[in-house]
Amino acid sequence: MKSVRIGLLILLVVFAGIQFIPAKRNLSDEIPTADFMAVYDVPERIESILKTACYDCHSDNTYYPWYSKIQPVAWFLGDHIEEGKAELNFNAFGNYSDRRKTSKLRSIKSQVEEGKMPLASYTWMHENAKLSEADKNTLITWVNELMDN
């Protein structure tokens, strides 16, 4: 019983200690000229869908909920955001080559069609980011029109 108490105390001290190790935050006040919304004439409904369901992980400005200040959650979120931005960064979209833009648009379409984006782990905590069938159809139709032009 004494060893269990010691183990729990050590875990508590470690947990408290890691709270002082800061995580990198993905925050920017700047809206770059290369942003997806600046590159394309994005309808208000599409902008709303993208900003609600995509921009937290795929841009340079993340809205952080209260639990993001707790370690190791902050590290997990930071890694998740870095991976998302490496795959697609809406703030840098205008800097992509035409070929890469087309590839990313195809990827957006297929990920939404297959229900892979937004991630279930994200929508679990962000209920408003879940895409309805109407949202999916609206986004897919718009991306198809964009690629046809």
Side-chain angles (χ1 to χ4, degrees):
M1 188 68 164
K2 187 174 183 178
S3 61
V4 171
R5 282 186 180 172
I6 291 171
L8 288 174
L9 182 60
I10 289 171
L11 282 175
L12 181 62
V13 168
V14 168
F15 180 76
I18 65 173
Q19 302 312 307
F20 294 101
I21 302 171
K24 183 181 172 193
R25 307 281 278 183
N26 184 47
L27 296 171
S28 173
D29 293 333
E30 185 178 319
I31 298 175
T33 56
D35 187 79
F36 187 84
M37 304 297 172
V39 173
Y40 298 109
D41 183 23
V42 180
E44 191 175 308
R45 181 70 192 128
I46 300 297
E47 181 177 346
S48 175
I49 293 168
L50 293 175
K51 292 217 173 177
T52 302
C54 308
Y55 264 60
D56 269 352
C57 297
H58 295 283
S59 78
D60 294 329
N61 198 14
T62 300
Y63 168 76
Y64 287 96
W66 65 268
Y67 55 84
S68 68
K69 294 181 176 135
I70 301 170
Q71 299 296 14
V73 174
W75 295 328
F76 170 76
L77 289 175
D79 288 343
H80 184 81
I81 291 165
E82 286 302 315
E83 287 175 21
K85 284 176 47 177
E87 187 62 36
L88 169 65
N89 186 343
F90 282 107
N91 290 148
F93 201 88
N95 297 330
Y96 295 167
S97 68
D98 288 343
R99 182 177 172 179
R100 188 168 184 207
K101 285 177 190 170
T102 301
S103 173
K104 294 301 177 187
L105 289 170
R106 280 192 193 115
S107 181
I108 290 167
K109 178 186 169 196
S110 69
Q111 295 285 314
V112 170
E113 280 178 330
E114 296 169 16
K116 293 181 179 178
M117 284 289 160
L119 294 175
S121 60
Y122 181 75
T123 58
W124 182 62
M125 294 297 288
H126 300 87
E127 188 74 26
N128 63 334
K130 285 185 180 177
L131 297 179
S132 67
E133 285 304 312
D135 289 342
K136 288 179 185 180
N137 291 334
T138 299
L139 185 58
I140 291 165
T141 300
W142 184 77
V143 169
N144 281 334
E145 290 171 3
L146 196 58
M147 288 191 301
D148 288 344
N149 292 332

PDB file of all heavy atoms in Angstrom, residues 119-132:
ATOM      1  N   LEU A 119     -11.411  15.540 -38.590  1.00  0.00           N
ATOM      2  CA  LEU A 119     -11.149  14.334 -37.816  1.00  0.00           C
ATOM      3  C   LEU A 119     -12.182  14.142 -36.710  1.00  0.00           C
ATOM      4  O   LEU A 119     -12.631  15.109 -36.096  1.00  0.00           O
ATOM      5  CB  LEU A 119      -9.760  14.404 -37.181  1.00  0.00           C
ATOM      6  CG  LEU A 119      -8.567  14.390 -38.118  1.00  0.00           C
ATOM      7  CD1 LEU A 119      -7.286  14.592 -37.324  1.00  0.00           C
ATOM      8  CD2 LEU A 119      -8.511  13.095 -38.907  1.00  0.00           C
ATOM      9  N   ALA A 120     -12.514  12.896 -36.461  1.00  0.00           N
ATOM     10  CA  ALA A 120     -13.466  12.577 -35.388  1.00  0.00           C
ATOM     11  C   ALA A 120     -12.933  13.050 -34.039  1.00  0.00           C
ATOM     12  O   ALA A 120     -13.698  13.511 -33.186  1.00  0.00           O
ATOM     13  CB  ALA A 120     -13.742  11.079 -35.361  1.00  0.00           C
ATOM     14  N   SER A 121     -11.622  12.963 -33.847  1.00  0.00           N
ATOM     15  CA  SER A 121     -11.033  13.408 -32.578  1.00  0.00           C
ATOM     16  C   SER A 121     -11.205  14.918 -32.382  1.00  0.00           C
ATOM     17  O   SER A 121     -11.249  15.397 -31.257  1.00  0.00           O
ATOM     18  CB  SER A 121      -9.549  13.037 -32.500  1.00  0.00           C
ATOM     19  OG  SER A 121      -8.823  13.646 -33.548  1.00  0.00           O
ATOM     20  N   TYR A 122     -11.329  15.653 -33.475  1.00  0.00           N
ATOM     21  CA  TYR A 122     -11.552  17.101 -33.393  1.00  0.00           C
ATOM     22  C   TYR A 122     -13.034  17.396 -33.158  1.00  0.00           C
ATOM     23  O   TYR A 122     -13.385  18.193 -32.292  1.00  0.00           O
ATOM     24  CB  TYR A 122     -11.067  17.782 -34.672  1.00  0.00           C
ATOM     25  CG  TYR A 122     -11.237  19.279 -34.655  1.00  0.00           C
ATOM     26  CD1 TYR A 122     -10.393  20.083 -33.897  1.00  0.00           C
ATOM     27  CD2 TYR A 122     -12.257  19.894 -35.370  1.00  0.00           C
ATOM     28  CE1 TYR A 122     -10.552  21.464 -33.874  1.00  0.00           C
ATOM     29  CE2 TYR A 122     -12.425  21.266 -35.355  1.00  0.00           C
ATOM     30  CZ  TYR A 122     -11.567  22.041 -34.601  1.00  0.00           C
ATOM     31  OH  TYR A 122     -11.732  23.402 -34.567  1.00  0.00           O
ATOM     32  N   THR A 123     -13.892  16.744 -33.909  1.00  0.00           N
ATOM     33  CA  THR A 123     -15.324  17.028 -33.786  1.00  0.00           C
ATOM     34  C   THR A 123     -15.901  16.524 -32.466  1.00  0.00           C
ATOM     35  O   THR A 123     -16.942  16.995 -32.033  1.00  0.00           O
ATOM     36  CB  THR A 123     -16.123  16.425 -34.965  1.00  0.00           C
ATOM     37  OG1 THR A 123     -15.898  15.020 -35.020  1.00  0.00           O
ATOM     38  CG2 THR A 123     -15.716  17.071 -36.276  1.00  0.00           C
ATOM     39  N   TRP A 124     -15.218  15.570 -31.851  1.00  0.00           N
ATOM     40  CA  TRP A 124     -15.659  15.083 -30.550  1.00  0.00           C
ATOM     41  C   TRP A 124     -15.686  16.220 -29.531  1.00  0.00           C
ATOM     42  O   TRP A 124     -16.603  16.317 -28.721  1.00  0.00           O
ATOM     43  CB  TRP A 124     -14.715  13.962 -30.084  1.00  0.00           C
ATOM     44  CG  TRP A 124     -15.088  13.338 -28.790  1.00  0.00           C
ATOM     45  CD1 TRP A 124     -16.231  12.662 -28.503  1.00  0.00           C
ATOM     46  CD2 TRP A 124     -14.310  13.320 -27.590  1.00  0.00           C
ATOM     47  NE1 TRP A 124     -16.211  12.214 -27.195  1.00  0.00           N
ATOM     48  CE2 TRP A 124     -15.032  12.619 -26.616  1.00  0.00           C
ATOM     49  CE3 TRP A 124     -13.058  13.825 -27.249  1.00  0.00           C
ATOM     50  CZ2 TRP A 124     -14.563  12.423 -25.332  1.00  0.00           C
ATOM     51  CZ3 TRP A 124     -12.585  13.620 -25.975  1.00  0.00           C
ATOM     52  CH2 TRP A 124     -13.341  12.921 -25.035  1.00  0.00           C
ATOM     53  N   MET A 125     -14.684  17.099 -29.594  1.00  0.00           N
ATOM     54  CA  MET A 125     -14.605  18.225 -28.659  1.00  0.00           C
ATOM     55  C   MET A 125     -15.141  19.531 -29.264  1.00  0.00           C
ATOM     56  O   MET A 125     -15.322  20.503 -28.561  1.00  0.00           O
ATOM     57  CB  MET A 125     -13.159  18.444 -28.207  1.00  0.00           C
ATOM     58  CG  MET A 125     -12.603  17.300 -27.370  1.00  0.00           C
ATOM     59  SD  MET A 125     -13.481  17.079 -25.817  1.00  0.00           S
ATOM     60  CE  MET A 125     -12.916  18.490 -24.899  1.00  0.00           C
ATOM     61  N   HIS A 126     -15.339  19.555 -30.588  1.00  0.00           N
ATOM     62  CA  HIS A 126     -15.822  20.750 -31.281  1.00  0.00           C
ATOM     63  C   HIS A 126     -17.060  20.372 -32.089  1.00  0.00           C
ATOM     64  O   HIS A 126     -16.996  20.190 -33.303  1.00  0.00           O
ATOM     65  CB  HIS A 126     -14.732  21.309 -32.201  1.00  0.00           C
ATOM     66  CG  HIS A 126     -13.488  21.687 -31.483  1.00  0.00           C
ATOM     67  ND1 HIS A 126     -12.476  20.789 -31.238  1.00  0.00           N
ATOM     68  CD2 HIS A 126     -13.094  22.856 -30.930  1.00  0.00           C
ATOM     69  CE1 HIS A 126     -11.506  21.393 -30.583  1.00  0.00           C
ATOM     70  NE2 HIS A 126     -11.855  22.642 -30.376  1.00  0.00           N
ATOM     71  N   GLU A 127     -18.149  20.251 -31.406  1.00  0.00           N
ATOM     72  CA  GLU A 127     -19.411  19.800 -32.000  1.00  0.00           C
ATOM     73  C   GLU A 127     -19.803  20.632 -33.224  1.00  0.00           C
ATOM     74  O   GLU A 127     -20.321  20.099 -34.208  1.00  0.00           O
ATOM     75  CB  GLU A 127     -20.522  19.869 -30.935  1.00  0.00           C
ATOM     76  CG  GLU A 127     -21.820  19.256 -31.352  1.00  0.00           C
ATOM     77  CD  GLU A 127     -21.808  17.736 -31.374  1.00  0.00           C
ATOM     78  OE1 GLU A 127     -21.025  17.125 -30.638  1.00  0.00           O
ATOM     79  OE2 GLU A 127     -22.582  17.180 -32.164  1.00  0.00           O
ATOM     80  N   ASN A 128     -19.538  21.927 -33.184  1.00  0.00           N
ATOM     81  CA  ASN A 128     -19.931  22.807 -34.288  1.00  0.00           C
ATOM     82  C   ASN A 128     -19.114  22.567 -35.560  1.00  0.00           C
ATOM     83  O   ASN A 128     -19.471  23.053 -36.629  1.00  0.00           O
ATOM     84  CB  ASN A 128     -19.850  24.271 -33.882  1.00  0.00           C
ATOM     85  CG  ASN A 128     -18.439  24.694 -33.525  1.00  0.00           C
ATOM     86  OD1 ASN A 128     -17.612  23.883 -33.124  1.00  0.00           O
ATOM     87  ND2 ASN A 128     -18.158  25.976 -33.653  1.00  0.00           N
ATOM     88  N   ALA A 129     -18.023  21.805 -35.458  1.00  0.00           N
ATOM     89  CA  ALA A 129     -17.180  21.524 -36.627  1.00  0.00           C
ATOM     90  C   ALA A 129     -17.671  20.314 -37.418  1.00  0.00           C
ATOM     91  O   ALA A 129     -17.170  20.057 -38.513  1.00  0.00           O
ATOM     92  CB  ALA A 129     -15.733  21.303 -36.192  1.00  0.00           C
ATOM     93  N   LYS A 130     -18.638  19.588 -36.892  1.00  0.00           N
ATOM     94  CA  LYS A 130     -19.183  18.449 -37.633  1.00  0.00           C
ATOM     95  C   LYS A 130     -19.898  18.965 -38.872  1.00  0.00           C
ATOM     96  O   LYS A 130     -20.696  19.897 -38.794  1.00  0.00           O
ATOM     97  CB  LYS A 130     -20.166  17.662 -36.769  1.00  0.00           C
ATOM     98  CG  LYS A 130     -19.499  16.829 -35.719  1.00  0.00           C
ATOM     99  CD  LYS A 130     -20.498  15.986 -34.969  1.00  0.00           C
ATOM    100  CE  LYS A 130     -19.795  15.163 -33.906  1.00  0.00           C
ATOM    101  NZ  LYS A 130     -20.727  14.385 -33.100  1.00  0.00           N
ATOM    102  N   LEU A 131     -19.600  18.342 -39.992  1.00  0.00           N
ATOM    103  CA  LEU A 131     -20.222  18.761 -41.242  1.00  0.00           C
ATOM    104  C   LEU A 131     -21.498  17.966 -41.486  1.00  0.00           C
ATOM    105  O   LEU A 131     -21.480  16.736 -41.484  1.00  0.00           O
ATOM    106  CB  LEU A 131     -19.259  18.546 -42.410  1.00  0.00           C
ATOM    107  CG  LEU A 131     -17.959  19.345 -42.375  1.00  0.00           C
ATOM    108  CD1 LEU A 131     -17.103  18.998 -43.580  1.00  0.00           C
ATOM    109  CD2 LEU A 131     -18.231  20.834 -42.311  1.00  0.00           C
ATOM    110  N   SER A 132     -22.578  18.681 -41.700  1.00  0.00           N
ATOM    111  CA  SER A 132     -23.826  18.030 -42.071  1.00  0.00           C
ATOM    112  C   SER A 132     -23.701  17.565 -43.518  1.00  0.00           C
ATOM    113  O   SER A 132     -22.781  17.964 -44.246  1.00  0.00           O
ATOM    114  CB  SER A 132     -24.990  19.011 -41.937  1.00  0.00           C
ATOM    115  OG  SER A 132     -24.868  20.039 -42.904  1.00  0.00           O
TER     116      SER A 132
END
